[in-house]
Amino acid sequence: MTLIQLPYALDALSPVISAETLSFHHGKHLQAYVNNLNALLPGTPFEHLPLEDIVRQSDGGIFNNAGQILNHNLYFTQFTAPKAANHPTGPLAQAIDQQFGSFETFKAEFEKKGTTLFGSGWVWLSADKDGKLHITQEPNAGNPITRGLTPLLTFDVWEHAYYLDYQNRRPAHLAALWDIIDWDVVASRF
Ligand code: MN
């Protein structure tokens, strides 16, 4: 497994996510999960499997590190430079409106799931085989792919994702993330 390259400069997401946070989050935290997994995989049945299959089939330390790599790969590649009035378009926007009533209602529900997740984990928007959308909380390294869902969008609520910039203010961090979502990337996963 190799560390993904960020598709933007370290300061591109500032002030929503600072260069310092991004540098630690990608260069230290994600790098550590990659190093851990590469140390654990040799000689196991998972050694030559794609990352998604490792996450679907493993448990214990392999699952924790593989899950965190998959989660962060989806997380880091969903961002772009801050935009005012940033919102989805096309079929994904229609599905959000249809299921949640409006984009504003969806955002409020998503933020609430992130704010109320106790401890470390992730909040996810995913789609099932019928195209129905789901917002779920996943503890620790969890990913809805393990229940047959297709992950579309995720907010990392581990403290390492926001503590340098927001300290204990997780809700403020989550509310700010909407400005840097690349909805074209999210829609392409739908
Ligand atoms: Mn993280």
Side-chain angles (χ1 to χ4, degrees), residues 25 29-30 33 68 72 75-76 122 156-158 160-161:
H25 200 177
H29 290 277
L30 179 53
Y33 297 126
Q68 284 294 72
H72 285 95
Y75 175 79
F76 285 126
W122 301 77
D156 185 346
V157 301
W158 284 62
H160 67 224

Side-chain angles (χ1 to χ4, degrees), residues 1 4 7 9 12 19 21 43 47 51 55 64 73 77-78 82 99 110 124 135 143 157 167 171:
M1 221 56 66
I4 58 154
T21 290
E47 193 172 354
L51 181 59
V55 172
N64 286 337
N73 288 356
T77 56
Q78 74 188 358
Q99 273 192 246
F110 199 84
W124 290 93
I135 301 175
N143 186 306
V157 301
Q167 295 77 47

